[in-house]
Amino acid sequence: MLKEIEIQNFRCFEHIKISGFERVNLIGGKNNAGKTALLEALFLHLAPKVSSILILRELRREPLEAIKAMPDRAWDNLFYVREKDKFIVIIGKDENNNSDVVEIKSYTSSITINLKNGKNFFPRNRLPSLVASSRGLMNRENNSIITDSISTTSKVPIIPSFIMISGRELTQAYDNARLDDKDSEVLKAFQIIDPAIESVESFSIGEPTLYLRRKGEKRLPLSLFGDAMNRVAEIILKLVNSEHKILLIDEIENGIHHTNQRNFWRVLFRLAVELDTQIFATTHSLEMLQAFADVGLEPNQECSSAYFELARKLKTNQIIASRIDLETLNYALEHQEGVRGE
């Protein structure tokens, strides 16, 4: 389990070090405080591949055509104040004090990633040597083009705030969960939003689609049940199908009514322990913060959790992080003291 991350020269971070991660972690702060960038750094530490950078490009809706048109500036936005002459360095440390170092370098129109475990860099034949150029993603060893884009994000352990996974990918993810006898967790999550839901089924007549049935009603496609159901489906399915033992969720409150947030956190806390998976989520919502604190402080809560607040120093404009334990967070919320960077 990741306990600490240090980030240098990435996105809005010149240098930041955050320690004390728990099983479930919630991250708050004002707009442009680096919440999404932190999730991206965590993702690159988890999956140190150039293809991961293309995934982040797609999640930010950065067109590949722009990369081809301006190859010299293709990767500028990854680097703090666009200083490409400096390396991006992401250092993660686990509970056993083992560390991995991800180093990202830019060479004019290309970018490479190296992974250092302990004191040694992985040999190139063990860590694929890839380069993202104006032609697309290329294998440096044989100069072959791998892909011009990432065709699916269903297996990527990061859930953006505004892009929904396709119905086809949701259905495939549900079938995978069903094969592992984890589909009941999806139904339980749906019942948090709508207790009348009594069954979930997948059909592949034409486009693969998930159907829900409410008590006394005919089954209907998931898309007709609103954004909250689709959001919950993606979160739970990525959690139960996770191959990475980590889940990154941007703006977790999106679509989830405040009256359902405590029960939703209870599901996430339980599954994080049962599946040995670490969760990082961001939020702008005061109600989601309160629900997180309430569930984390419940008696006999087995899942460890913590809140982290990102803010900019007034004098230097540098982003800093503060770890706030749940008792302190709850006190601040009850007494209407400033949180979320306020």
Side-chain angles (χ1 to χ4, degrees):
M1 188 167 71
L2 189 68
K3 297 298 289 185
E4 177 182 293
I5 193 165
E6 184 174 355
I7 307 166
Q8 300 174 31
N9 201 41
F10 178 69
R11 296 287 195 196
C12 54
F13 299 119
E14 181 178 18
H15 180 259
I16 191 170
K17 187 175 182 178
I18 309 174
S19 303
F21 291 137
E22 300 292 349
R23 175 71 62 187
V24 178
N25 306 277
L26 187 60
I27 301 143
K30 290 184 178 180
N31 291 334
N32 200 32
K35 298 185 295 297
T36 300
L38 174 56
L39 295 187
E40 292 181 338
L42 289 164
F43 175 54
L44 289 175
H45 176 263
L46 170 71
K49 299 180 291 185
V50 174
S51 57
S52 298
I53 293 177
L54 290 188
I55 289 172
L56 295 182
R57 176 193 60 79
E58 289 205 347
L59 294 181
R60 283 185 177 255
R61 295 180 174 175
E62 298 175 3
L64 187 62
E65 288 71 19
I67 296 175
K68 293 179 177 180
M70 298 180 291
D72 291 348
R73 299 169 56 185
W75 315 108
D76 289 10
N77 292 335
L78 287 173
F79 295 82
Y80 178 72
V81 295
R82 300 189 174 189
E83 292 188 1
K84 295 193 296 183
D85 56 321
K86 296 181 180 180
F87 299 162
I88 292 171
V89 179
I90 303 171
I91 306 171
K93 190 174 292 185
D94 65 18
E95 67 268 30
N96 297 317
N97 217 32
N98 299 317
S99 62
D100 292 324
V101 181
V102 177
E103 200 174 71
I104 303 174
K105 305 177 183 180
S106 177
Y107 301 97
T108 311
S109 61
S110 64
I111 194 163
T112 61
I113 294 184
N114 292 310
L115 175 64
K116 187 177 182 181
N117 184 287
K119 296 182 178 180
N120 301 312
F121 277 101
F122 279 103
R124 290 188 183 276
N125 62 347
R126 292 181 60 191
L127 185 69
S129 178
L130 303 176
V131 61
S133 72
S134 57
R135 296 171 58 198
L137 184 62
M138 185 169 62
N139 188 320
R140 174 174 276 178
E141 278 78 18
N142 56 24
N143 292 326
S144 62
I145 297 296
I146 297 175
T147 181
D148 275 349
S149 66
I150 305 301
S151 60
T152 176
T153 59
S154 60
K155 293 186 178 181
V156 177
I158 183 168
I159 300 175
S161 61
F162 56 88
I163 300 177
M164 288 195 302
I165 193 172
S166 71
R168 175 185 291 273
E169 290 175 317
L170 272 180
T171 305
Q172 182 179 354
Y174 178 77
D175 288 341
N176 290 338
R178 188 168 56 171
L179 283 174
D180 290 335
D181 295 321
K182 296 174 182 175
D183 51 308
S184 62
E185 298 295 349
V186 181
L187 177 59
K188 292 175 186 176
F190 284 152
Q191 289 172 337
I192 292 173
I193 307 300
D194 185 348
I197 301 294
E198 62 178 10
S199 69
V200 186
E201 300 169 283
S202 63
F203 292 92
S204 295
I205 304 173
E207 182 76 10
T209 305
L210 282 182
Y211 282 79
L212 309 184
R213 187 200 297 270
R214 302 180 80 250
K215 293 178 182 177
E217 299 179 9
K218 294 183 177 180
R219 62 175 67 91
L220 293 171
L222 174 62
S223 59
L224 297 182
F225 284 84
D227 291 344
M229 298 293 269
N230 283 268
R231 179 79 166 169
V232 166
E234 182 176 7
I235 291 173
I236 296 301
L237 285 169
K238 284 201 172 183
L239 184 55
V240 300
N241 289 331
S242 175
E243 301 172 357
H244 305 280
K245 298 300 181 182
I246 193 170
L247 183 62
L248 310 167
I249 312 167
D250 203 10
E251 296 184 19
I252 189 171
E253 71 274 9
N254 284 359
I256 303 175
H257 194 266
H258 69 91
T259 57
N260 298 321
Q261 290 173 358
R262 285 171 180 76
N263 284 335
F264 189 56
W265 277 122
R266 291 185 183 104
V267 170
L268 295 183
F269 276 46
R270 175 177 58 81
L271 288 176
V273 172
E274 291 178 2
L275 301 173
D276 187 26
T277 297
Q278 194 171 16
I279 297 174
F280 295 85
T282 72
T283 187
H284 288 114
S285 167
L286 192 66
E287 294 162 329
M288 185 59 90
L289 265 178
Q290 185 65 69
F292 175 80
D294 289 346
V295 173
L297 291 172
E298 287 178 345
N300 304 317
Q301 176 59 258
E302 297 181 3
C303 182
S304 62
S305 56
Y307 172 65
F308 297 83
E309 188 166 287
L310 301 182
R312 290 183 180 270
K313 286 186 176 181
L314 292 178
K315 292 183 178 180
T316 65
N317 203 36
Q318 298 301 303
I319 297 173
I320 58 173
S322 302
R323 184 187 189 279
I324 303 175
D325 63 73
L326 297 194
E327 290 83 1
T328 303
L329 174 62
N330 191 55
Y331 180 88
L333 292 169
E334 288 181 350
H335 292 79
Q336 298 183 346
E337 295 182 359
V339 291
R340 303 176 298 168
E342 297 165 355

